[in-house]
Amino acid sequence: MRIGILSSGGDCPGINATIRGVGKTALLHYNMEVIGIHNGFTGLLNKDAEVLNERMLSGILNLGGTILGTSREKPFKKLLDSEDSGKPQIICDNCRELGLDCIVCIGGNGTQKTAYKLSKLGLNIIGVPKTIDNDVYGTDITFGFDTAVNIATDAIDRLHSTASSHKRVMVVEVMGHHAGWIALYAGMAGGADVILLPELGFDINVVNEKILQRAHNGKPYSIVVIAEGLQNGVSNPSYQISAEIQQVTGIEVRTTVLGYIQRGGNPSPFDRNLATRLGGHATELIAKGKFGRMVCASGDIITSIDLAEVAGKTKLVPPDHELIRNGSNMGISFGIK
């Protein structure tokens, strides 16, 4: 068989480990031919591809980013409401010309939705979920998430000392798009006093009350962790919230937006192993002829789910999540009564 591999959407620690997992399993165990497609779906539109051999897949396990490049090309996006771009048909034609028996699509929600639509057009597709946001439906966890949480937690740890020294409120904004997974896990791991999630919303009065209460109890500094998707349509919501906290409490506030630093650098050992397992299982599905599926983590096992069950859905933090309950019981404020 001749299989193609592409990575689409934002970069993420662990993509190269996945490419390696898919490619080496295909080459060494199943004797398949592996084609690397450059720059996501743009590469399929332009037939920008190359044969990958074992040597090219060596030494990439610990590398961040993606050796294949990526893009945010959305081939099913219409030029106008009633006008088709023609790109899906171009992709189908190019896949046949390239002789691809299957395409492994590594990406987040948008990528899996595109993968599903391509599978409906008759292409053999396997999806592999990746995002630091951990918001892909159908899998317990995505690779990249653990690395991002480690980076964010390290930043929060470092901010504790300067907050304590200057008796300030430190507001830290982390990524996550519309989901609060990074904020929840990094906030809890970093000992934040206030954690604000898009799924819960917040009352600024509750936040201020918590900060003032800490000050009255002899704790003159606070750490507030904010998910970037907290207020839709507001760029960098942390600055607006910081200003409101300082105005009401009278305590000096400093803001840190971690931004793309959470997506860069080498993947954590956990993410390397998760990506390797997902990649290997993707190749197993191809060998068995089980297409139109996305590999996923379910508990301690790697399995798969129909792409139809994934497309167009987002996995958000449930309000009754155990960490929210534990944090609330420990006096951490989530900005709600």
Side-chain angles (χ1 to χ4, degrees):
M1 295 187 72
R2 191 177 217 223
I3 68 172
I5 308 175
L6 64 80
S7 54
S8 179
D11 65 302
C12 171
I15 297 177
N16 286 325
T18 306
I19 294 170
R20 175 180 177 270
V22 173
K24 284 203 168 189
T25 305
L27 289 167
L28 302 178
H29 188 71
Y30 291 108
N31 198 30
M32 297 175 179
E33 186 176 9
V34 181
I35 307 297
I37 300 162
H38 295 288
N39 304 318
F41 294 109
T42 300
L44 282 180
L45 288 168
N46 301 330
K47 289 193 289 189
D48 184 3
E50 65 175 323
V51 176
L52 299 180
N53 56 41
E54 186 186 356
R55 179 184 59 80
M56 299 168 71
L57 297 172
S58 297
I60 67 171
L61 174 63
N62 64 326
L63 294 182
T66 165
I67 62 168
L68 296 177
T70 187
S71 71
R72 295 191 181 276
E73 170 63 47
K74 298 178 180 179
F76 287 91
K77 185 177 181 179
K78 295 182 178 181
L79 300 177
L80 299 171
D81 290 341
S82 59
E83 184 178 352
D84 192 282
S85 66
K87 291 180 179 179
Q89 187 58 52
I90 294 173
I91 287 177
C92 290
D93 293 342
N94 287 346
C95 285
R96 295 185 184 96
E97 290 183 27
L98 291 169
L100 298 178
D101 296 302
C102 180
I103 305 167
V104 177
C105 298
I106 305 169
N109 288 313
T111 299
Q112 302 311 319
K113 186 176 182 179
T114 298
Y116 169 63
K117 291 182 176 180
L118 289 174
S119 70
K120 288 182 66 178
L121 293 180
L123 295 181
N124 292 333
I125 303 288
I126 296 293
V128 181
K130 70 91 189 140
T131 175
I132 68 168
D133 303 337
N134 197 39
D135 64 349
V136 176
Y137 185 86
T139 184
D140 288 354
I141 190 170
T142 55
F143 68 81
F145 174 63
D146 183 72
T147 303
V149 169
N150 285 342
I151 293 169
T153 301
D154 181 66
I156 296 168
D157 287 346
R158 294 171 184 272
L159 288 170
H160 270 279
S161 59
T162 190
S164 175
S165 298
H166 293 274
K167 298 179 176 56
R168 291 171 174 162
V169 173
M170 304 299 290
V171 174
V172 189
E173 181 181 315
V174 300
M175 297 180 86
H177 202 49
H178 299 299
W181 292 104
I182 296 176
L184 176 60
Y185 274 71
M188 288 294 294
D193 305 297
V194 178
I195 302 172
L196 304 182
L197 310 177
E199 293 88 344
L200 299 180
F202 75 102
D203 182 340
I204 191 63
N205 295 317
V206 174
V207 174
N208 290 328
E209 286 172 9
K210 176 64 177 179
I211 293 169
L212 288 172
Q213 179 189 55
R214 283 178 51 80
H216 292 155
N217 291 337
K219 299 175 180 178
Y221 81 94
S222 295
I223 302 292
V224 180
V225 175
I226 295 175
E228 67 176 353
L230 192 63
Q231 295 178 332
N232 291 333
V234 177
S235 178
N236 295 329
S238 53
Y239 287 103
Q240 179 179 330
I241 292 171
S242 296
E244 294 178 4
I245 291 174
Q246 182 163 313
Q247 181 180 10
V248 172
T249 66
I251 301 173
E252 196 172 23
V253 181
R254 290 291 183 269
T255 308
T256 300
V257 179
L258 295 184
Y260 288 104
I261 192 173
Q262 297 159 89
R263 286 206 332 219
N266 300 340
S268 67
F270 178 89
D271 278 339
R272 296 179 199 185
N273 288 328
L274 175 60
T276 298
R277 295 171 68 200
L278 291 170
H281 193 75
T283 310
E284 292 175 14
L285 291 177
I286 295 171
K288 295 175 181 178
K290 296 182 178 181
F291 304 115
R293 303 188 68 78
M294 183 189 80
V295 295
C296 60
S298 178
D300 294 329
I301 67 170
I302 301 298
T303 182
S304 65
I305 185 174
D306 196 305
L307 278 170
E309 298 183 45
V310 178
K313 298 178 182 178
T314 303
K315 184 184 72 177
L316 300 176
V317 178
D320 61 347
H321 192 282
E322 186 178 22
L323 273 181
I324 296 177
R325 186 170 65 253
N326 289 343
S328 297
N329 291 341
M330 294 166 57
I332 297 170
S333 173
F334 288 89
I336 55 177
K337 291 187 180 295

